[in-house]
Amino acid sequence: FPKICVEYEHRKKDNRHVLHIKHESVWNNTNFSNVCGSLKIQIHELEHEINEYVHIPAATAWNQHVPSKYEFVCQSKAKRKHKNGDNEPWLEAPANNETPVKWIRIDPDYEWLLHSVFCLIEAPIAITQLLHDDVRNVKSQIEAIHCLRLEPGKNTSDALVQTLNDEMNFYKVRLEAAKALAQDRNPATLHENKTELMAVIKKLWHKIKSQHTTQLIDYFLLKQIAVYLSSMGERKFPHYTPVEIIDLLVTLLKELIDDTVQFPYCQQPLIASMIVNLANVRVAPQRYHKIKEITNILNQILSLQRLFKSHRGQIQSACLQTCATLYLNHCQHEALREYSKTLRKAKFCKYGKFHDEVRVAAFRVLVQLMKDKSCMKKCFKTIAKEVVPGVRIEMLRIWSASMKRNDYLRQYEEIANDLHRAQNNEAFDPHLSLLHGDGDGGEHEPREEQLRAINMRPTLRGYQSSTCYKMADGGVSVTEYTFVEQVLRRKAQPSKMVADQLWNWLLRTMDKRLADKHGRQHMDSLFVGDNDDSKGIIKSMDLMFLISELYRSIWKFETPSFYQNTSKHRIFGNYDAGNQRRVRNAVKQLQAKFNNNAP
């Protein structure tokens, strides 16, 4: 949707309201998708209220980065702050608002429903709008929180904490405040925000567990604030999770699965959410005992799920996804390494033994842990043996999305390495040598990348920190997100096998006779067919579009490089059978009927 960005400032010099409005339209080839109309601006001053309509400027190629400026006269004057403390609440901390403006509302009547309207205002006005608005407007409060996220500080944190603890606010406003506290970019206030969020979770948990409240809002707040808390990092090491957060999440999970605790609501969604939160945990090798404690709890939950199954297998799915993510973040952990071998066996993908949601989650884990040709064959055979069409379609979507994500990660890593690689002899710049004093142009020693430079490098963390590992014999061990480039796109037999298999499935979704002819020509390449233990691919339009999307995610609908331009290696042969034969006969009849004109 087109975006309308509004930035407000109060100019104290001549006491005027200044608005900067810019229309960020979507670029489509050579044309802009503009919107025309007026935007309502409502400014509440101390003594007056201004309602104005401003014209939305059109975005063109030459003024797309130049906002339009509008000015209005402010009809109120700012009040002075008294030293005796007898002041209005917005004059005191945390707002400290010395302007005559209390709040601003952009498009208050929701006239632009299909467009995104963004508003940027100053921090004192945003805090006043969040805490001291006469009418609690959810839209204006969320806009104020988004503005405060751009200016982190002590006053901002205090205002967000007050919003979070105020039970009169709408619960989604309180959740937005918790999210802003967890994603604070100021290291001086991040530690205090962590303490406040943990205190809120403990308070909510005590209220729910002791049944002092019957409000479902506390249940939703506890479930979502724990998600934000699990994503926080330490102050000195942002990519590691604080130990106190891990202990709190583990304690909550233990009490949830304890039968002695009387819980007034359904425990299964909350248990699944707490398990997924543990997937965000990242610790240093010195604290691997925390990972061992988490894995023991997950194994206990999985063993209990064999007797007491959850609704739609949501707890089992959460356990599988958490174990896989913990392994990818801690590849050197011995227990997780052994458990990943169990997940690669696709034991949880069996039809009739596990719920559909569990089998989909197990296949997602199998794709994430895919590292060689055997794992790729296991994924294809899992898709072929699946008898539920909806589950098969979801598996194909997962594989296609994984290929796109792997491409993005590979490209991201290559760009980061090009920008921050260690200096060597080939990359020597004589201009830099002059700056360092060695301008004789002679030999120089290669300088290695220092540890502080590696830590500052804007690259991916954990298992996504390197593209591949060189083995002792000169070969390359394929990792997760180099699978597409190293296996599926190189000029070798595995890539041709994948292309033949996908194309055979694509033909089978349209006409089985075409797929059979294609299979007889490429019998050595296909490894999944209509044998006794596989139901094969049925004729389906949904499957046809999904497999074509899957093929496009690998080769972008281009002919792979290993296929030559000969009739022997053509992917789609001119088979005179089935629907293709009927189409040719129909075209001939239409051409004869319309005197050989294009029908």
Side-chain angles (χ1 to χ4, degrees):
F1 299 122
K3 301 176 183 178
I4 304 171
C5 182
V6 181
E7 184 176 358
Y8 170 83
E9 63 173 342
H10 178 263
R11 197 163 58 197
K12 296 182 180 180
K13 181 175 63 175
D14 51 358
N15 197 21
R16 297 178 71 90
H17 305 292
V18 182
L19 291 174
H20 299 275
I21 301 179
K22 185 175 65 172
H23 179 204
E24 300 178 358
S25 58
V26 180
W27 180 266
N28 184 14
N29 295 329
T30 58
N31 298 323
F32 283 91
S33 176
N34 283 309
V35 293
C36 298
S38 299
L39 184 66
K40 185 177 181 180
I41 309 294
Q42 197 174 55
I43 303 176
H44 186 78
E45 303 175 357
L46 296 179
E47 301 173 356
H48 299 85
E49 182 175 322
I50 298 177
N51 293 304
E52 294 286 346
Y53 283 89
V54 297
H55 180 69
I56 299 176
T60 58
W62 59 273
N63 70 343
Q64 56 175 325
H65 301 295
V66 180
S68 298
K69 185 177 180 180
Y70 298 93
E71 295 185 5
F72 310 104
V73 178
C74 183
Q75 303 178 12
S76 301
K77 293 184 179 181
K79 292 184 178 181
R80 289 187 176 183
K81 186 176 180 180
H82 301 290
K83 296 182 179 180
N84 56 6
D86 187 14
N87 299 310
E88 298 291 343
W90 56 83
L91 293 175
E92 302 289 345
N96 295 325
N97 185 10
E98 298 178 357
T99 65
V101 182
K102 292 186 64 176
W103 48 257
I104 302 168
R105 289 177 185 167
I106 309 297
D107 188 26
D109 300 330
Y110 302 95
E111 298 174 347
W112 297 93
L113 291 177
L114 296 180
H115 303 81
S116 300
V117 181
F118 300 94
C119 180
L120 301 177
I121 55 180
E122 301 172 359
I125 302 177
I127 296 177
T128 307
Q129 179 173 319
L130 179 63
L131 299 179
H132 309 294
D133 196 348
D134 299 334
V135 180
R136 294 182 183 269
N137 186 280
V138 175
K139 179 175 178 292
S140 63
Q141 285 182 314
I142 293 179
E143 286 178 351
I145 292 174
H146 288 179
C147 295
L148 291 176
R149 293 179 65 179
L150 302 177
E151 301 183 22
K154 187 177 185 306
N155 291 335
T156 299
S157 297
D158 293 342
L160 294 174
V161 169
Q162 292 184 27
T163 305
L164 178 59
N165 293 325
D166 189 359
E167 297 183 356
M168 296 300 295
N169 288 325
F170 185 52
Y171 81 99
K172 287 193 174 182
V173 174
R174 299 170 68 183
L175 288 179
E176 285 293 329
K179 184 178 180 180
L181 287 170
Q183 297 179 354
D184 194 349
R185 295 173 297 172
N186 190 347
T189 57
L190 187 60
H191 180 73
E192 298 178 1
N193 297 345
K194 177 188 65 178
T195 306
E196 293 291 342
L197 289 176
M198 293 178 62
V200 171
I201 288 181
K202 292 179 181 178
K203 178 181 176 181
L204 293 172
W205 176 245
H206 178 71
K207 288 174 61 178
I208 295 176
K209 187 175 64 173
S210 59
Q211 297 184 359
H212 289 168
T213 178
T214 57
Q215 296 183 5
L216 199 58
I217 295 177
D218 296 334
Y219 175 84
F220 291 138
L221 288 174
L222 174 64
K223 182 179 177 181
Q224 195 63 32
I225 294 177
V227 177
Y228 302 146
L229 186 66
S230 64
S231 62
M232 298 183 67
E234 294 183 359
R235 181 176 179 178
K236 294 183 179 180
F237 306 98
H239 50 285
Y240 288 147
T241 307
V243 180
E244 51 268 25
I245 293 180
I246 301 176
D247 295 337
L248 177 61
L249 296 177
V250 171
T251 303
L252 292 179
L253 184 58
K254 286 181 178 180
E255 295 186 5
L256 278 172
I257 63 177
D258 189 3
D259 295 336
T260 60
V261 178
Q262 299 295 329
F263 199 73
Y265 307 115
C266 181
Q267 299 184 16
Q268 295 179 3
L270 188 57
I271 292 175
S273 178
M274 290 296 175
I275 293 173
V276 173
N277 294 339
L278 293 176
N280 299 327
V281 170
R282 294 190 179 189
V283 297
Q286 296 81 5
R287 296 176 178 174
Y288 270 1
H289 60 279
K290 296 292 182 181
I291 302 298
K292 185 177 181 181
E293 182 181 3
I294 294 175
T295 54
N296 293 336
I297 296 175
L298 296 180
N299 289 330
Q300 179 184 357
I301 294 175
L302 282 176
S303 60
L304 290 175
Q305 286 297 308
R306 297 174 184 175
L307 300 176
F308 309 100
K309 295 184 178 181
S310 59
H311 177 65
R312 299 174 65 89
Q314 53 185 340
I315 294 181
Q316 282 182 316
S317 303
C319 290
L320 295 177
Q321 187 63 44
T322 301
C323 289
T325 308
L326 286 176
Y327 166 71
L328 295 176
N329 293 337
H330 311 86
C331 298
Q332 305 300 325
H333 196 275
E334 188 64 28
L336 291 174
R337 189 184 304 173
E338 294 297 327
Y339 199 79
S340 66
K341 297 179 181 178
T342 305
L343 295 177
R344 287 194 183 99
K345 295 179 181 179
K347 181 180 68 174
F348 294 92
C349 296
K350 293 182 180 179
Y351 173 74
K353 195 172 182 180
F354 300 98
H355 194 272
D356 293 349
E357 300 291 340
V358 178
R359 289 186 284 121
V360 169
F363 182 80
R364 182 181 290 108
V365 169
L366 186 62
V367 172
Q368 289 179 354
L369 301 180
M370 181 172 53
K371 302 179 70 170
D372 51 15
K373 188 171 67 175
S374 61
C375 294
M376 181 259 295
K377 283 187 176 182
K378 180 72 70 174
C379 292
F380 275 115
K381 289 184 178 180
T382 303
I383 296 174
K385 291 181 180 180
E386 181 57 50
V387 298
V388 181
V391 176
R392 179 182 290 158
I393 290 176
E394 191 63 30
M395 288 180 176
L396 288 171
R397 286 175 178 167
I398 290 172
W399 206 66
S400 178
S402 177
M403 296 302 105
K404 293 179 181 179
R405 179 177 179 273
N406 292 343
D407 272 346
Y408 167 75
L409 296 178
R410 179 181 57 82
Q411 182 182 7
Y412 183 94
E413 186 67 23
E414 288 178 355
I415 295 175
N417 288 337
D418 290 341
L419 292 175
H420 303 276
R421 64 178 52 167
Q423 299 180 10
N424 49 32
N425 290 327
E426 290 80 10
F428 176 69
D429 190 352
H431 299 286
L432 294 179
S433 63
L434 294 175
L435 294 177
H436 292 287
D438 49 350
D440 53 355
E443 297 293 333
H444 68 283
E445 297 181 359
R447 286 169 287 180
E448 297 182 356
E449 190 175 19
Q450 299 297 326
L451 180 61
R452 60 179 180 271
I454 297 176
N455 292 334
M456 293 175 61
R457 190 166 64 181
T459 184
L460 306 177
R461 297 288 184 180
Y463 73 99
Q464 299 168 348
S465 59
S466 61
T467 53
C468 59
Y469 300 99
K470 293 184 178 180
M471 305 174 69
D473 56 355
V476 176
S477 176
V478 180
T479 57
E480 287 78 14
Y481 60 96
T482 57
F483 179 80
V484 177
E485 186 69 21
Q486 299 290 337
V487 177
L488 298 183
R489 289 185 187 159
R490 62 181 182 180
K491 299 180 181 180
Q493 184 65 21
S495 54
K496 185 177 185 300
M497 176 180 58
V498 173
D500 285 334
Q501 185 64 62
L502 288 178
W503 199 263
N504 185 267
W505 281 355
L506 186 59
L507 295 177
R508 196 170 297 278
T509 58
M510 297 181 291
D511 197 313
K512 187 175 183 296
R513 288 164 290 190
L514 294 176
D516 291 339
K517 283 196 173 185
H518 176 266
R520 286 193 292 269
Q521 292 184 1
H522 305 276
M523 189 177 301
D524 54 340
S525 298
L526 302 182
F527 54 88
V528 177
D530 283 342
N531 46 29
D532 296 334
D533 60 342
S534 174
K535 299 296 182 182
I537 300 296
I538 61 175
K539 191 173 181 179
S540 169
M541 184 178 295
D542 292 334
L543 284 177
M544 180 186 68
F545 284 112
L546 258 297
I547 296 177
S548 64
E549 178 70 18
L550 185 63
Y551 194 91
R552 186 177 69 87
S553 66
I554 303 176
W555 288 287
K556 314 300 180 186
F557 274 139
E558 298 176 358
T559 302
S561 57
F562 49 81
Y563 279 102
Q564 304 296 329
N565 190 15
T566 60
S567 59
K568 180 179 178 182
H569 296 283
R570 268 188 305 193
I571 297 179
F572 192 80
N574 293 324
Y575 305 132
D576 192 15
N579 293 335
Q580 193 171 3
R581 181 179 181 181
R582 298 190 191 98
V583 169
R584 287 201 186 94
N585 294 335
V587 170
K588 290 179 181 179
Q589 293 178 7
L590 288 173
Q591 288 178 345
K593 184 177 180 180
F594 292 98
N595 297 323
N596 290 328
N597 294 326

